Amino acid sequence: MELVSLDIERFGRVGRAQIAFKPGLNVLHGANEVGKSSIARAIRFALLLPSSSSAAEPWIPWSGGGESTVTLVFRNGADYYRVKKVFGTNTASLERSSDGTGWASLARSREVEARL
């Protein structure tokens, strides 16, 4: 599996971030408390945690202003996959693409965890 891109909105210390991963090793660096751990946790949660899990609660901002959303695109073999989760809700989707542009739905809501 190869990470392609990550889009985060209101997750932990991150208000908004869009990251395009390069082939090979990618390194996150920066000062303390800028959101490096939030980015790493967002990737983990997108792949492993149901969007409705209470384990995500500490990472959902209390200040309001929208939902905590993580969208991760990764490649496995020749196919691309996009998983999107809105934490604190039952909203999740998993899509597949052969070229990374045209997406077909594979699963919604609770079915996403079984497919991942």
Side-chain angles (χ1 to χ4, degrees):
M1 178 175 69
E2 173 187 349
L3 300 181
V4 175
S5 66
L6 178 68
D7 189 7
I8 303 172
E9 295 180 49
R10 293 170 294 283
F11 185 88
R13 294 282 295 166
V14 179
R16 174 101 173 127
Q18 292 179 308
I19 300 169
F21 296 99
K22 307 267 186 204
L25 179 65
N26 289 263
V27 177
L28 297 174
H29 66 89
N32 290 341
E33 298 298 320
V34 295
K36 300 179 302 291
S37 295
S38 294
I39 291 169
R41 188 145 327 224
I43 294 168
R44 179 176 170 259
F45 282 14
L47 294 171
L48 302 173
L49 193 70
S51 59
S52 61
S53 174
S54 62
E57 287 178 11
W59 297 89
I60 299 171
W62 293 359
S63 59
E67 298 169 320
S68 183
T69 305
V70 176
T71 305
L72 177 65
V73 177
F74 61 94
R75 202 170 93 191
N76 191 15
D79 289 329
Y80 291 83
Y81 296 89
R82 179 168 61 189
V83 60
K84 179 178 181 178
K85 294 186 179 177
V86 180
F87 292 99
T89 72
N90 283 326
T91 305
S93 64
L94 178 63
E95 301 168 309
R96 180 175 57 208
S97 172
S98 60
D99 60 4
T101 57
W103 298 94
S105 179
L106 290 178
R108 296 269 181 230
S109 210
R110 295 178 191 258
E111 297 171 1
V112 171
E113 309 319 312
R115 296 296 300 261
L116 284 173

